[in-house]
Amino acid sequence: MATFSRTGALALLAALGGCATISESNQQTLMLHTVVDNREIGGAGCVLTNDKGRWFVTSPGHVTVQKSAGNLFVDCKKDGASAGQDVVVSRANASATVGNAVLTAGLGYLLDKRTGAGFDYPETLTVLMRRTGARDYQNDPPETAGTALH
């Protein structure tokens, strides 16, 4: 009976070897940039949210988030004058997916989906900001806004 238990335990460990929950971190560090009018701007306060939590970063900057099978929502604002939002899609990690399919008949994939360990976001996020406020910045650029040209 002890031999069967040992064999069963070894088989379970071998099957979970393809499981990203065991072999990979459930956290990921991302680089976030904010861009307005085709130029990078700094100092935007950004909130990143998924079903695992909420994180704050000032652009440009690095932030460590907990991975999830769900999307990552990004909301950035700067000085009440510009704002931007983005939805970042989570993708299954290719090596974890193949390992799970082959070794665990999908059980490891389900565990990885629950913990987020087998999923990744893009390493660099770029949020396109738009100017807000009363002025129409497309027709009245900020360099000449409010000035009379004679």
Side-chain angles (χ1 to χ4, degrees):
M1 186 77 164
T3 305
F4 177 74
S5 295
R6 239 185 240 156
T7 305
L10 288 174
L12 178 62
L13 285 174
L16 290 175
C19 182
T21 301
I22 293 173
S23 62
E24 295 186 24
S25 172
N26 67 342
Q27 295 190 344
Q28 181 180 1
T29 300
L30 309 173
M31 179 65 191
L32 186 129
H33 298 276
T34 49
V35 174
V36 66
D37 295 335
N38 298 319
R39 284 184 251 169
E40 183 170 12
I41 62 167
C46 300
V47 180
L48 291 79
T49 309
N50 66 18
D51 61 333
K52 303 294 183 184
R54 177 176 287 172
W55 302 269
F56 304 90
V57 64
T58 301
S59 70
H62 288 90
V63 60
T64 300
V65 302
Q66 187 170 346
K67 296 196 267 182
S68 168
N71 294 339
L72 183 68
F73 299 91
V74 184
D75 185 24
C76 298
K77 291 183 175 60
K78 180 173 179 173
D79 300 332
S82 52
Q85 296 179 331
D86 200 3
V87 178
V88 182
V89 177
S90 177
R91 302 268 186 226
N93 179 311
S95 61
T97 303
V98 171
N100 281 329
V102 172
L103 297 174
T104 68
L107 293 175
Y109 175 81
L110 294 175
L111 183 60
D112 290 345
K113 187 171 182 176
R114 188 175 62 80
T115 65
F119 291 80
D120 294 312
Y121 297 112
E123 291 180 9
T124 302
L125 310 178
T126 302
V127 178
L128 300 177
M129 306 286 283
R130 68 186 183 296
R131 295 190 189 269
T132 60
R135 291 190 221 170
D136 180 359
Y137 285 103
Q138 282 189 319
N139 296 322
D140 191 10
E143 295 77 30
T144 60
T147 60
L149 298 175
H150 297 280

